[in-house]
Amino acid sequence: MIENDSSGRRIPALWLVLLSTPTSLSANAATTVVPELARGLNVSVSHATWAATAFGWGAVVGTPLTAALLRSRTMRVAVLVNAALVLLGTLLVVLAPGLAGLLAGRACQAAGGSGLVTVAISLARTPRRTGLVTAAIGLVGAFGPLAGSALAALSWRVALSLSLLALAAVAAVVRDVPARRASGDVRGTDGAGVALVAALVTALVLIAAAPVPALVCASVTLLLLGVHVRRHRDGFVPQPVLRTRAFRRSSVTACALSTTYFAVLYSVPHRLEEYWSAEATGGAVLLALATGSAASLLFVNWTSRLAPAAVHTAFAAAAATAVVLPLTSWPAAFAAATGFAVFAATGAMAWHAVRVAGAAPARYRSDAVALFTLCYQLGGAFGPALAAALIT
């Protein structure tokens, strides 16, 4: 889908799953090790939670950086650079003596990990394989808090090093992707475009922490980006991609459903505190997430037999159900909401990613899929912020 040179062999889906899932595992593992982290670095719990913020920021910024690599280099280079970021970030997490080094490490881990997710989705190429990757990301991420709790008994640093597992797939993926791009397909990096996109997503991520300054920065950056895009038709955000109706519709949908998923995921445990124990809540949410992830994979395999309108309706209905269920007074419905939310988000991610790639001109497929993935990643930043606002 992404690599215009088709000489690369089809990579087994399990390697793509291993390449992409450790990032979600590592992200969610941090939720249960914050107290240990605070004690280990002799900082307050509130300061320790910046480890999660740094990871979220790195994940969002890593996607445009990977898009720039796919645009100007090769898929192989993109894999190796992101793998190096994961390795560097993990080394910083393991060795950092203070909070600043740890935050830098978590940001590097997330940037490299989100880049590997973009690569995996790009290499999947079919709805079924893409669905397997996205469903696995949701399913494996559900085990993050449990893994964090278990590994924290050894060390909180070990619990925050799970991103390293992705490197086990790098050799297999690098072996099978093309070493060269198609003739005439190498384009400039457009550093200004990359910087503006990175600045925009950074401002958007910080809206919850500093609403007024972040909104001002986001507005100014968006204006500058708009001017840049108009002046550079073939820039980092190509005009032919923005003019594609499938890209616009799919990107907005992916961001909305991802935001819904993460908002539900972060708010449901809080709602269940007054009804169930922490163990019961964790088990129920894990079961719901596993069921929803598996259902999304099965559904994506059937989407080729359904009309696009029916697929849109199914995902929208699942997301609406996820929003409505927590409004009831039935605790089991709260947990079930996470299953509907992950079904809508991961299933839609798989289905729309293939549609975005198919609708974009061949020259711009890597740009289209990377920018689409960025919109999905933004939901991972917006959702928790929305959940926090709803809880308070």
Side-chain angles (χ1 to χ4, degrees):
M1 178 187 353
I2 295 301
E3 198 70 43
N4 294 335
D5 182 358
S6 60
S7 60
R9 292 183 292 177
R10 186 175 184 178
I11 300 171
L14 289 180
W15 287 123
L16 300 181
V17 167
L18 180 56
L19 190 71
S20 58
T21 53
T23 297
S24 62
L25 185 67
S26 180
N28 292 346
T31 61
T32 54
V33 300
V34 168
E36 290 81 2
L37 188 163
R39 287 193 292 269
L41 296 181
N42 195 27
V43 298
S44 67
V45 172
S46 61
H47 285 162
T49 57
W50 276 97
T53 303
F55 196 93
W57 174 80
V60 173
V61 172
T63 301
L65 296 180
T66 297
L69 288 173
L70 293 174
R71 171 190 180 88
S72 60
R73 297 293 185 268
T74 65
M75 186 69 76
R76 180 172 294 182
V77 171
V79 173
L80 292 175
V81 169
N82 283 302
L85 283 173
V86 171
L87 179 59
L88 172 62
T90 303
L91 289 175
L92 287 173
V93 166
V94 172
L95 301 175
L99 184 61
L102 175 71
L103 297 182
R106 290 295 281 172
C108 283
Q109 282 181 324
S114 69
L116 294 179
V117 170
T118 300
V119 166
I121 291 174
S122 301
L123 291 172
R125 294 183 176 142
T126 67
R128 181 176 183 178
R129 285 158 55 84
T130 306
L132 178 61
V133 172
T134 57
I137 290 173
L139 177 59
V140 173
F143 286 90
L146 180 62
S149 297
L151 293 175
L154 299 175
S155 169
W156 59 265
R157 295 182 188 269
V158 174
L160 296 183
S161 300
L162 292 172
S163 296
L164 202 63
L165 295 174
L167 301 189
V170 168
V173 173
V174 167
R175 181 187 64 230
D176 289 341
V177 297
R180 299 179 180 178
R181 298 182 67 91
S183 178
D185 191 42
V186 177
R187 293 177 285 156
T189 302
D190 184 19
V194 175
L196 286 170
V197 170
L200 176 60
V201 298
T202 298
L204 292 174
V205 168
L206 293 176
I207 284 177
V212 175
L215 281 172
V216 171
C217 290
S219 300
V220 172
T221 306
L222 184 60
L223 177 62
L224 294 175
L225 180 61
V227 173
H228 182 81
V229 169
R230 284 195 296 271
R231 291 181 177 178
H232 300 81
R233 178 184 183 278
D234 198 35
F236 178 68
V237 183
Q239 291 181 25
V241 172
L242 293 181
R243 291 171 180 168
T244 305
R245 183 172 181 269
F247 171 80
R248 297 195 304 270
R249 183 175 184 179
S250 295
S251 297
V252 171
T253 300
C255 185
L257 294 180
S258 176
T259 299
T260 300
Y261 165 51
F262 284 102
V264 170
L265 182 64
Y266 277 77
S267 60
V268 161
H270 176 77
R271 291 292 309 279
L272 287 173
E273 284 180 354
E274 58 182 294
Y275 299 98
W276 293 346
S277 66
E279 293 77 10
T281 297
V285 171
L286 178 60
L287 177 61
L289 290 173
T291 303
S293 298
S296 73
L297 175 58
L298 294 175
F299 181 73
V300 167
N301 289 339
W302 281 86
T303 52
S304 61
R305 307 180 185 184
L306 301 174
V311 179
H312 279 294
T313 300
F315 291 138
T321 303
V323 172
V324 170
L325 286 179
L327 302 179
T328 67
S329 57
W330 187 29
F334 304 164
T338 61
F340 283 98
V342 75
F343 168 84
T346 59
M349 177 66 173
W351 189 69
H352 282 288
V354 176
R355 290 175 64 82
V356 165
R363 179 176 174 82
Y364 301 103
R365 285 176 183 167
S366 62
D367 304 292
V369 174
L371 292 172
F372 165 76
T373 304
L374 173 60
C375 291
Y376 180 88
Q377 297 275 21
L378 279 172
F382 296 156
L386 178 59
L390 292 174
I391 291 172
T392 55

